[in-house]
């Protein structure tokens, strides 16, 4: 763990030297003790069913370190990241105790051109739009372009949902890619956010010869 943090800081410092970049790093750490008084509300269990254990109250400790930040190569170019480290229950050696030892939750870069166009690429947040209805927010590998307009902001996204391409003939047909086009605008106090999407999903049946 200590070696990882030292290596991470070294990479960030070297990035600053090589690219004259500024580095902004923030984070949080917690350690907590918990007592579950009614675990039957969390775990489905029937005490009258043979072989199914009736959950009892219990306690545990857990902790987690989150690091997030940004490398600004210039006013118009950046790399953003978010790590989660040692998200686990103590002592961490029991079955199922370890959740995510070191997880790169987000990592993406971006550049803003003189036209105002902003191009971003990498592992960023996606799956949520406009209202909370039907949201499935999470990490997505994307190419994303946003363009300010007099009426609002236009955005276009290519999202990689499954990558099955290889040097085998026609293997690209088994990929799954989403293409999204959206607009963020307003009519008086009302927000208007239309979004249309098309998914070319060839990963459902790799044996199928059709796209």
């Amino acid at each position: 763990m200590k070696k990882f943090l030292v290596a991470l800081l070294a990479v960030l410092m070297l990035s600053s030297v090589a690219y004259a970049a500024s580095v902004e790093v923030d984070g949080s750490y917690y350690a907590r003790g918990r007592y579950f008084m009614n675990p039957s509300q969390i775990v489905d269990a029937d005490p009258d069913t043979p072989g199914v254990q009736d959950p009892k109250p219990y306690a545990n400790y857990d902790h987690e370190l989150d690091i997030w930040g940004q490398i600004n190569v210039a006013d118009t170019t950046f790399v953003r990241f978010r790590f989660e480290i040692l998200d686990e229950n103590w002592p961490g050696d029991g079955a199922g105790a370890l959740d995510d030892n070191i997880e790169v939750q987000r990592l993406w870069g971006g550049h803003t051109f003189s036209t105002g166009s902003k191009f971003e690429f990498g592992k960023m947040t996606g799956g949520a739009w406009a209202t909370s209805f039907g949201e499935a927010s999470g990490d997505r590998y994307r190419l994303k372009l946003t363009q300010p307009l007099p009426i609002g902001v236009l955005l276009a996204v290519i999202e990689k949902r499954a990558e099955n391409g290889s040097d085998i003939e026609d293997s690209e047909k088994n990929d799954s890619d989403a293409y999204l086009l959206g607009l963020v605008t307003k009519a008086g106090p009302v927000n208007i956010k239309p979004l249309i999407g098309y998914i070319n999903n060839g990963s459902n049946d790799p044996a199928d010869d059709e796209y």
Side-chain angles (χ1 to χ4, degrees):
M1 183 64 219
K2 183 177 180 181
K3 292 181 179 179
F4 172 79
L5 291 176
V6 171
L8 174 62
L9 292 175
V11 169
L12 294 178
M13 287 188 290
L14 287 174
S15 299
S16 300
V17 173
Y19 300 100
S22 63
V23 180
E24 302 172 9
V25 179
D26 203 346
S28 66
Y29 171 78
Y30 73 79
R32 66 184 175 185
R34 296 180 293 177
Y35 181 72
F36 297 89
M37 296 182 61
N38 194 4
S40 63
Q41 298 301 312
I42 304 173
V43 180
D44 293 333
D46 183 356
D48 298 325
T49 302
V52 177
Q53 184 178 0
D54 182 19
K56 302 295 183 184
Y58 69 96
N60 70 4
Y61 294 95
D62 74 320
H63 70 175
E64 177 182 317
L65 173 64
D66 292 313
I67 298 176
W68 55 89
Q70 178 169 314
I71 302 173
N72 299 301
V73 180
D75 292 338
T76 56
T77 307
F78 66 86
V79 176
R80 292 176 182 161
F81 55 88
R82 190 170 83 199
F83 297 95
E84 183 181 83
I85 302 173
L86 285 181
D87 176 12
E88 65 179 9
N89 296 330
W90 297 359
D93 56 358
L98 182 62
D99 183 3
D100 297 306
N101 191 4
I102 299 177
E103 180 187 11
V104 181
Q105 296 179 318
R106 302 290 185 273
L107 178 60
W108 80 100
H111 179 78
T112 302
F113 297 89
S114 58
T115 58
S117 306
K118 184 178 181 181
F119 182 50
E120 297 174 84
F121 38 87
K123 188 179 183 181
M124 63 190 77
T125 299
W129 181 259
T131 69
S132 59
F133 178 77
E135 277 191 356
S137 179
D139 57 285
R140 302 285 192 275
Y141 284 98
R142 290 178 150 190
L143 303 176
K144 178 181 177 182
L145 180 67
T146 54
Q147 176 65 55
L149 299 173
I151 61 171
V153 178
L154 180 70
L155 65 94
V157 174
I158 300 176
E159 183 175 289
K160 175 61 68 174
R161 303 168 67 91
E163 175 57 67
N164 294 308
S166 69
D167 58 357
I168 299 175
E169 184 179 2
D170 296 334
S171 62
E172 290 293 339
K173 67 179 177 54
N174 299 133
D175 290 350
S176 179
D177 298 292
Y179 305 90
L180 308 170
L181 185 64
L183 178 68
V184 178
T185 186
K186 296 185 71 172
V190 180
N191 293 311
I192 302 175
K193 301 179 180 181
L195 178 73
I196 59 174
Y198 171 77
I199 298 177
N200 182 19
N201 188 3
S203 64
N204 283 336
D205 185 4
D208 191 350
D209 289 333
E210 299 297 327
Y211 282 91

